[in-house]
Amino acid sequence: MTEATLTSIPAAEPPAAELEVKKDRLKKKKDKVRSAWISFIGRILAQVIGAAATITLGLMFVQKHQNSALEHEKNLAASALSAVAPDDRSVAVLPMQNFSGERGDDYFADAMTEALIADLAQMPNLRVISRTSSMFYKQAQRPLREIASELGVRWIIEGSVVRSEGRVRVTAQLIDARTDEHLWARTYDRVHGDLLTIQADVAAVIARDVRGALGSSGDE
């Protein structure tokens, strides 16, 4: 075989139609990948937008709930304030002071206060603050207007007791807390004897005098 016979014959190039088919397949593959990415990104965006919308709606609901709760608290506070607003038929008896100088007479002063509260509570159309609330202000050095505001009353009764040389003296005064003016004041002297009888007697007389004073001034 000759040298010319052994020479390689160049390979024939693919037909143009085959190249076009390959190019079309590659283009379709690229389009398919692009569509898959677009679909994936679209789903991610939808989830993000959905989550943002959910969070926004949740925040709006929480804010609305907080505003409703705040409004409810304001309404309750206004109702409570209205419930304790001072009126012309409300009175508080502050703990009577012991001016005897004897610690043992503190019991007599406290018992005198309690007896007076009990007698005043029997009066119709008169709101009397309880002993528990009144005794909270024992020896309190505070303005009467401030105490009356906290208790929700217009009138304040304060007084003192003294035992000396076989006699008992009880002093009481009725004060208009709005003006800090005395409407009525009186001193009651009794011969020392049975303390329970003195307490009952003086408390009844003070309650009667207070009723008379409020009867002429309670409707102002």
Side-chain angles (χ1 to χ4, degrees), residues 81 84-86 137 143-154 156 177:
L81 181 62
V84 300
Y137 295 92
L144 291 182
R145 181 176 296 182
E146 183 178 310
I147 295 176
S149 177
E150 292 180 359
L151 293 175
V153 299
R154 174 180 175 181
I156 292 289

Side-chain angles (χ1 to χ4, degrees), residues 2-208:
T2 64
E3 183 178 351
T5 306
L6 296 175
T7 302
S8 298
I9 300 175
E13 295 183 357
E18 185 178 349
L19 291 176
E20 289 298 328
V21 171
K22 289 182 177 181
K23 289 181 180 180
D24 185 60
R25 289 178 179 175
L26 181 60
K27 182 177 181 298
K28 288 182 178 180
K29 185 176 181 180
K30 291 180 179 180
D31 290 343
K32 186 175 180 180
V33 171
R34 185 182 299 109
S35 298
W37 272 106
I38 292 175
S39 176
F40 174 75
I41 294 174
R43 288 197 300 270
I44 295 298
L45 289 176
Q47 292 177 358
V48 171
I49 294 173
T54 301
I55 293 174
T56 302
L57 291 175
L59 291 176
M60 291 175 61
F61 175 80
V62 171
Q63 184 65 35
K64 182 177 180 181
H65 179 73
Q66 290 178 341
N67 291 339
S68 298
L70 181 60
E71 188 66 24
H72 181 63
E73 290 179 358
K74 289 181 178 179
N75 292 335
L76 288 179
S79 299
L81 181 62
S82 175
V84 300
D87 59 74
D88 291 340
R89 305 293 295 180
S90 56
V91 62
V93 181
L94 298 186
M96 290 196 170
Q97 301 183 59
N98 170 26
F99 286 167
S100 299
E102 298 292 337
R103 182 175 297 273
D105 287 340
D106 285 345
Y107 298 102
F108 176 72
D110 291 346
M112 189 73 245
T113 303
E114 185 172 2
L116 180 54
I117 291 175
D119 279 7
L120 289 172
Q122 303 303 314
M123 295 173 56
N125 303 321
L126 180 65
R127 184 166 64 88
V128 183
I129 299 302
S130 69
R131 173 187 177 278
T132 301
S133 297
S134 295
M135 293 303 291
F136 179 78
Y137 295 92
K138 186 174 182 178
Q139 297 180 348
Q141 302 298 320
R142 297 170 60 185
L144 291 182
R145 181 176 296 182
E146 183 178 310
I147 295 176
S149 177
E150 292 180 359
L151 293 175
V153 299
R154 174 180 175 181
W155 304 99
I156 292 289
I157 297 177
E158 61 178 7
S160 61
V161 298
V162 178
R163 289 202 300 171
S164 178
E165 298 180 356
R167 299 187 64 84
V168 177
R169 171 171 291 182
V170 178
T171 300
Q173 48 195 353
L174 180 64
I175 302 171
D176 187 342
R178 298 185 307 183
T179 62
D180 202 29
E181 295 179 348
H182 288 74
L183 175 66
W184 158 90
R186 185 173 175 182
T187 297
Y188 306 86
D189 288 320
R190 295 292 187 272
V191 176
H192 194 289
D194 181 52
L195 292 182
L196 292 179
T197 301
I198 294 176
Q199 291 168 5
D201 175 41
V202 176
V205 175
I206 294 176
R208 181 197 64 196

